Amino acid sequence: MNYWLMKSEPDVYSIDDLARDGSTHWEGVRNYSARNNMRKMELGDLVLFYHSNAKPPGVAGIARVVKTAYPDPHQWDRNSKYHDPKSTKDDPRWSMVDVEFVEQFAELVPLDRIKATMGLENMVLVKRSRLSVQPVTPQEFAIVKRLGKG
DNA sequence: GCCAACGTTGGC
DNA sequence: GCCAACGTTGGC
């Protein structure tokens, strides 16, 4: 069992949207580090759902991986903003996973709280702030989850 | 809206 | 393979 953090802009897709939909395709990741992390995901892995570009930014809840990495079809859709003309069907460049809703935190865990919490100072979120799909240690996951209970 | 950080592209 | 130019992310 692995733990991850995935970022989404709530204006585009929020934890409320995931709660409503039940599950979603995580399409549109166009960064190699983030893609490689998605390819390491296993069924049942738990994901901290992070709201980026939000006021305030922070972890809003938990999701679970229900489908492991498979080619993101948007890479071949000429009308999609995720279209990648260099990606071929024989060698798909971009992957996505499916995740399902697990829980919404009673309280958002804001980024500034994460930065100020002992045990979370080495989170990738803090160290490499731009990576949109990143690993989280079991300890970090447990601390964030506890903070989310309010 | 600004801009620092940083990932990607492409000329050489 | 280097690195300057460029584009994007995301906190503020």
Side-chain angles (χ1 to χ4, degrees):
Chain A
M1 156 84 84
N2 308 302
Y3 298 94
W4 309 94
L5 180 148
M6 298 175 93
K7 296 180 187 174
S8 183
E9 299 188 25
D11 289 348
V12 177
Y13 198 84
S14 72
I15 190 84
D16 300 291
D17 295 317
L18 184 60
R20 180 199 62 217
D21 295 344
S23 68
T24 193
H25 311 302
W26 207 276
E27 78 274 8
V29 170
R30 293 294 179 270
N31 168 283
Y32 290 104
S33 300
R35 180 205 69 182
N36 292 343
N37 286 332
M38 281 201 298
R39 288 181 175 178
K40 292 177 196 156
M41 289 181 180
E42 296 171 6
L43 279 184
D45 282 1
L46 293 176
V47 177
L48 296 174
F49 192 109
Y50 181 85
H51 282 173
S52 63
N53 265 318
K55 285 176 252 175
V59 179
I62 296 174
R64 180 190 292 116
V65 176
V66 289
K67 185 171 181 181
T68 55
Y70 60 105
D72 179 346
H74 296 84
Q75 66 197 305
W76 299 304
D77 177 358
R78 302 172 66 84
N79 297 319
S80 171
K81 66 172 177 171
Y82 300 128
H83 180 237
D84 183 347
K86 292 183 180 169
S87 180
T88 65
K89 296 257 183 185
D90 291 340
D91 185 18
R93 179 176 290 192
W94 303 112
S95 300
M96 64 188 209
V97 297
D98 291 358
V99 302
E100 71 176 3
F101 177 77
V102 175
E103 66 170 281
Q104 177 161 15
F105 286 161
E107 246 180 52
L108 181 98
V109 182
L111 178 62
D112 57 6
R113 182 121 191 252
I114 287 171
K115 287 178 173 171
T117 300
M118 239 198 324
L120 300 181
E121 59 278 324
N122 290 319
M123 279 189 78
V124 178
L125 184 68
V126 177
K127 297 280 174 183
R128 262 185 86 194
S129 58
R130 283 185 51 185
L131 188 58
S132 64
V133 179
Q134 50 182 262
V136 172
T137 69
Q139 295 82 0
E140 289 164 348
F141 186 90
I143 295 170
V144 173
K145 183 176 177 182
R146 181 158 40 77
L147 292 175
K149 294 197 184 302

